[in-house]
Amino acid sequence: MDASDPQELSQETYRITGMTCAGCVRRVETGLAELEGVVEATVNLMTEEAVIRFEPGAVAADTVIETVEALGFAAMRKEEGVSDYDIDVSQENLVVARRRCALAWALTGPIALLMLLHMTHIWMVPYWGWIELVLALPVIVVSGAETFKKAWITMRAKSPNMDALIAIGTLAAYSTGPMHLFGMDVASFAAVAAMIMAFHLTGRYLEARARGRASQAIRRLLELGAKTARVRRDGEVVEIPADEVVVGDVMIIKPGEKIPTDGIVVQRASAIDESMATGEPIPVDKEVGDNVLGATVNSTGALEVEATRIGGDTFLSQVAKMVQDAQASKPAIQGFADQITTIFVPVVLGVALLTGMFWLLLPEMMETLGAWAVPYLPWEHSGDVSRLSMAIFSAVAVLVISCPCAMGLATPTAIMVGTGQAAERGLLIREGAAVQRLKELTILCLDKTGTLTHGKPKVTDVEALEGVERSDLLAWAAAVSLFSEHPLAKAIADRATDDHCDMLSAGDFEAVPGKGTRAMVDGVAVLVGKATYLAESGVDIAPLEHILYRMQQEAKTVAAVARDGKAIGVIGIADTLKPESVRAIKVLKRMGIQCIMITGDNKATAEVVADQVGIERVIADVLPQDKAKAIENLKKETIGAVGMVGDGINDAGALATADVGIALGTGTDIAIEAADVTLVRGDLISLVTVIQLGTATYKKIVQNLFWAFGYNLLVVPLAMLGLLHPMVAEVCMALSSLNVIANSLRLRNFDPEKVTKEIMRM
């Protein structure tokens, strides 16, 4: 089997609890990947989920669960869809984490206060050695019980994690208390042990809160749905729970109510507020035959809608699933962090051991290396305590300062916030890897029809000959066109309606396929069609030639009009540009992205549109099967990523071939399925926004990883030299994790318009 073919693989999602760091993630991923038949396993620390892709029938759920439990974690298979987000399964973990943290600080608070008074000689606390031992013990044994349990499991499995570092550091620090009381020449750090555990549990509590908010975007999406539905059954209108609606039910939606599920309008018309899906606040007019989305709001008139999709098939559920999948996936840059965290904890244990040995065997050398900072330290140093004290002091500091929490949180927190922000703007990112590829875009290919243009013909010019009123020309042409189903005829009829032209009656209609139409309007023969059709009908088209030539140069389709055997004018028809296309292309070019039009249309028409929108390079006359080949050739031209933007079935192959496939939500389902990103609103300003947001998210990932790694490179040497108090080390470790979370949350302030203005000023 070709493992790269996603169509031939099964996929399941499992909830994994008990993970605390990137090392845990790596261990679970490795364990699952080693199962026979598993092609890929991806684990997300923040969402506590594992997604495995495997050969159909090769892996049983029980096997996956047993494998995870053998690694020291708990697993539960998630059913299809995202309905389980309605009940926040992480809430129990949050309550437990809060309880442990509260107990730890209830005892550690007094310890810290008494220690401060004792160390500053404000009050020499009687029996201080015994007091710190007694107060610290419940913090370690009760509040920290789960930490020690996980540490033991991972140590026994020969894959120690962050909990192992904390457990060893805490025990080492606490053991100095009894050693000191029984006369050994070692300073007591028992109070510090309680503080280390308290700060550690505070970090776990804050991360539990972050996990509780991890799927906030998904929960908000699901909560948007209607709770009840009013449906017509057996001749009566009854109100039922929204989840009991079945395909074919006719729903009655009053003004101000939410549409219960996806459907098609079968009676009446209204304006629908689709801001939930598109981010666009202006209601969209809907009439009979138009599709509507569940959870959108009926603004004006009452509607009757036939349900077409329910449950997990609805737009809302699909969006939630897409966001969930994106949050669970990883960009390529995460692979670098994963490789490091695999060996990180064992290396830290080795460094801590070496640190202790150096202080025991070569204390003078260690003192000399750190002598420059001794006068500035507010705690005891080697000049005042024994070498054993300094060995324990420094080794413990190394252990607690090096916990890889920040590295494990660096990528998933940024991906989660970024994809959530995108979803709220109607920008659906299918996988986290697309975030990195969006940032790396150097070439962006855009389909013409339906992407840069509206995708349907519109009247652009109404040129009447001398002696003929434009309104009359349009009215006569529309009277004939009303009988035709041709898209060009519909465009003429629509323009006449928009211009409020008189509606004339016509009869004796005749259509000549490929040429034009004729009819009797107010008793006079009117012809509409190609100039050659008029000429064949005996009409002198010479007066029209200069108009025909100009419109043809502008790549417009022309409909010549004759009345009573005489030419009276020309109507120009074209697929017009979307109003935002020119601005979007200008911003993309300023961002350093080369824009290329790739279209199956003829070169002349394509170049006219490209010139209007500001695109210099055009690949025209391309068959659908050749678009993918064109993308492959462009990949060879750049070291960056190649993107493709399209909306039709003919774009699906190119969207799948591109490094980043971007589909317009107004396009076909096939195109959307093939793409990595979907722009629900279907305009190119959304395209600019998703690229900017992808770039901003990737920058946050890089920043997070930089600080996570940089923090360790900076503080570990200080801890080795005895310049960092273990308590301060634990505070620094907790702050590094909080910094990663806070930095990722700054994406909530992302303002695409502000970013665009800054780009245009460059």
Side-chain angles (χ1 to χ4, degrees):
M1 172 182 294
D2 181 4
S4 65
D5 184 0
Q7 300 301 322
E8 298 183 9
L9 297 176
S10 297
Q11 178 172 305
E12 290 181 353
T13 303
Y14 291 80
R15 183 171 296 281
I16 310 294
T17 55
M19 298 185 297
T20 57
C21 67
C24 301
V25 170
R26 187 66 173 175
R27 189 162 65 258
V28 175
E29 284 183 339
T30 302
L32 293 177
E34 290 175 351
L35 292 176
E36 186 175 353
V38 172
V39 174
E40 181 183 31
T42 303
V43 178
N44 188 300
L45 177 64
M46 286 300 292
T47 59
E48 296 186 303
E49 288 181 354
V51 178
I52 61 171
R53 295 172 62 234
F54 54 93
E55 299 173 7
V59 181
D62 290 345
T63 303
V64 173
I65 294 172
E66 289 172 5
T67 300
V68 173
E69 289 178 346
L71 294 170
F73 308 99
M76 176 185 71
R77 183 183 174 187
K78 292 174 84 272
E79 298 300 324
E80 267 315 300
V82 292
S83 58
D84 59 332
Y85 275 90
D86 291 328
I87 303 173
D88 190 357
V89 296
S90 63
Q91 191 62 34
E92 183 179 347
N93 291 339
L94 177 59
V95 171
V96 172
R98 184 190 298 120
R99 189 183 302 129
R100 289 173 181 154
C101 183
L103 174 60
W105 280 109
L107 296 171
T108 303
I111 291 176
L113 178 61
L114 292 174
M115 185 178 73
L116 179 64
L117 295 173
H118 192 81
M119 289 175 62
T120 55
H121 303 289
I122 294 176
W123 178 38
M124 300 305 294
V125 182
Y127 304 106
W128 166 241
W130 288 103
I131 290 175
E132 63 175 336
L133 273 180
V134 171
L135 291 179
L137 188 61
V139 176
I140 297 170
V141 175
V142 180
S143 295
E146 188 67 19
T147 299
F148 283 97
K149 177 183 175 182
K150 291 177 182 176
W152 170 247
I153 292 173
T154 60
M155 293 286 283
R156 191 174 57 184
K158 299 179 181 179
S159 55
N161 68 346
M162 182 191 76
D163 291 304
L165 299 182
I166 291 296
I168 295 172
T170 304
L171 282 178
Y174 186 80
S175 65
T176 60
M179 292 165 65
H180 178 75
L181 285 175
F182 287 103
M184 293 184 65
D185 187 16
V186 59
S188 175
F189 300 123
V192 172
M195 293 180 192
I196 291 173
M197 183 58 73
F199 277 113
H200 169 68
L201 294 174
T202 302
R204 296 287 71 77
Y205 165 63
L206 294 174
E207 286 174 24
R209 285 188 60 186
R211 288 195 183 99
R213 296 175 180 175
S215 301
Q216 190 173 9
I218 296 175
R219 287 198 299 274
R220 279 203 299 264
L221 283 169
L222 293 173
E223 288 167 359
L224 289 172
K227 301 298 183 288
T228 61
R230 197 178 295 105
V231 300
R232 198 185 301 281
R233 288 184 177 174
D234 299 326
E236 296 183 1
V237 176
V238 295
E239 188 168 310
I240 61 174
D243 57 8
E244 293 183 9
V245 174
V246 298
V247 173
D249 273 342
V250 175
M251 305 173 289
I252 293 86
I253 302 102
K254 295 180 179 180
E257 293 182 341
K258 290 182 179 180
I259 298 174
T261 192
D262 297 2
I264 185 170
V265 178
V266 293
Q267 289 288 340
R268 305 177 186 172
S270 182
I272 304 297
D273 178 0
E274 295 187 334
S275 57
M276 173 278 298
T278 67
E280 177 59 52
I282 301 174
V284 179
D285 292 330
K286 299 286 185 178
E287 55 188 29
V288 174
D290 287 341
N291 291 316
V292 293
L293 301 175
T296 56
V297 180
N298 182 21
S299 298
T300 54
L303 275 182
E304 292 192 23
V305 176
E306 180 181 333
T308 57
R309 290 189 291 189
I310 60 173
D313 295 329
T314 64
F315 171 83
L316 188 64
S317 294
Q318 290 300 311
V319 169
K321 182 67 167 64
M322 193 176 293
V323 174
Q324 177 191 10
D325 290 345
Q327 291 181 348
S329 62
K330 298 180 182 182
I333 192 173
Q334 181 62 23
F336 169 67
D338 288 345
Q339 291 175 3
I340 291 181
T341 53
T342 302
I343 60 171
F344 189 82
V345 173
V347 167
V348 169
L349 288 172
V351 170
L353 181 61
L354 287 174
T355 298
M357 291 176 61
F358 276 128
W359 274 105
L360 285 173
L361 302 176
L362 301 169
E364 293 82 6
M365 180 189 76
M366 300 300 286
E367 289 176 10
T368 302
L369 291 174
W372 58 274
V374 173
Y376 308 102
L377 297 180
W379 49 78
E380 295 175 324
H381 196 257
S382 54
D384 304 303
V385 297
S386 68
R387 64 174 63 183
L388 178 59
S389 294
M390 284 307 303
I392 296 174
F393 178 100
S394 303
V396 169
V398 169
L399 288 171
V400 300
I401 197 72
S402 304
C403 292
C405 305
M407 284 182 275
L409 297 171
T411 298
T413 51
I415 290 291
M416 224 160 344
V417 178
T419 54
Q421 287 295 299
E424 290 178 6
R425 290 174 167 83
L427 313 170
L428 308 181
I429 300 175
R430 188 180 296 276
E431 58 175 0
V435 169
Q436 182 168 345
R437 296 196 295 267
L438 281 169
K439 185 263 177 188
E440 295 170 348
L441 276 177
T442 54
I443 294 178
L444 188 63
C445 300
L446 301 102
D447 177 46
K448 178 180 75 69
T449 306
T451 300
L452 291 167
T453 66
H454 286 99
K456 58 182 180 179
K458 288 188 177 183
V459 171
T460 57
D461 303 83
V462 180
E463 296 280 353
L465 294 180
E466 188 175 353
V468 180
E469 294 292 331
R470 290 178 68 256
S471 58
D472 291 338
L473 170 65
L474 192 55
W476 289 326
V480 177
S481 300
L482 282 172
F483 289 89
S484 175
E485 295 180 356
H486 195 284
L488 299 182
K490 186 177 186 306
I492 294 174
D494 289 345
R495 176 61 180 269
T497 301
D498 293 341
D499 287 2
H500 305 290
C501 293
D502 294 333
M503 301 304 294
L504 305 176
S505 59
D508 298 329
F509 174 80
E510 179 187 358
V512 182
K515 294 185 178 181
T517 57
R518 72 167 68 218
M520 299 298 292
V521 181
D522 291 342
V524 179
V526 176
L527 283 73
V528 181
K530 293 181 178 179
T532 54
Y533 170 59
L534 269 62
E536 291 172 2
S537 302
V539 177
D540 180 11
I541 61 171
L544 303 178
E545 287 182 349
H546 67 289
I547 304 175
L548 294 171
Y549 177 78
R550 175 174 58 81
M551 289 190 183
Q552 288 168 351
Q553 291 298 111
E554 295 171 352
K556 295 174 181 174
T557 301
V558 294
V561 184
R563 184 174 185 272
D564 198 18
K566 294 181 180 179
I568 58 174
V570 175
I571 296 176
I573 303 170
D575 181 8
T576 56
L577 283 177
K578 292 180 179 178
E580 72 279 358
S581 293
V582 174
R583 181 168 182 258
I585 296 300
K586 185 181 293 185
V587 176
L588 289 169
K589 290 165 69 175
R590 189 63 67 89
M591 291 167 65
I593 298 173
Q594 180 187 2
C595 297
I596 299 174
M597 180 191 292
I598 181 167
T599 177
D601 212 339
N602 66 79
K603 191 171 177 106
T605 301
E607 287 182 341
V608 169
V609 174
D611 184 62
Q612 292 174 347
V613 81
I615 292 178
E616 288 82 16
R617 185 174 175 183
V618 175
I619 302 175
D621 297 309
V622 182
L623 295 175
Q625 60 268 30
D626 293 329
K627 283 190 175 182
K629 293 180 182 177
I631 296 294
E632 288 285 4
N633 291 334
L634 289 170
K635 284 184 177 181
K636 299 173 184 176
E637 295 182 15
T638 179
I639 58 174
V642 175
M644 173 69 194
V645 187
D647 72 324
I649 294 175
N650 62 332
D651 298 319
L655 290 169
T657 303
D659 295 310
V660 188
I662 303 172
L664 304 187
T666 52
T668 65
D669 290 343
I670 293 176
I672 293 171
E673 281 297 317
D676 302 299
V677 178
T678 300
L679 312 179
V680 176
R681 203 161 58 209
D683 66 71
L684 293 188
I685 293 301
S686 295
L687 170 63
V688 173
T689 300
V690 79
I691 294 174
Q692 291 173 346
L693 186 53
T695 301
T697 302
Y698 183 78
K699 285 182 178 178
K700 289 299 179 189
I701 294 173
V702 173
Q703 290 171 5
N704 289 346
L705 289 174
F706 172 79
W707 287 113
F709 287 120
Y711 145 82
N712 279 285
L713 291 175
L714 176 66
V715 297
V716 169
L718 297 178
M720 292 177 67
L721 295 175
L723 302 176
L724 206 61
H725 196 284
M727 182 179 67
V728 176
E730 178 59 32
V731 172
C732 290
M733 189 276 288
L735 289 177
S736 70
S737 297
L738 294 179
N739 176 60
V740 163
I741 295 173
N743 190 45
S744 298
L745 290 175
R746 291 191 186 102
L747 282 169
R748 291 180 176 176
N749 301 322
F750 174 77
D751 183 350
E753 192 60 36
K754 180 180 178 181
V755 174
T756 297
K757 288 179 180 178
E758 291 175 354
I759 291 171
M760 296 307 293
R761 282 198 296 264
M762 291 170 57

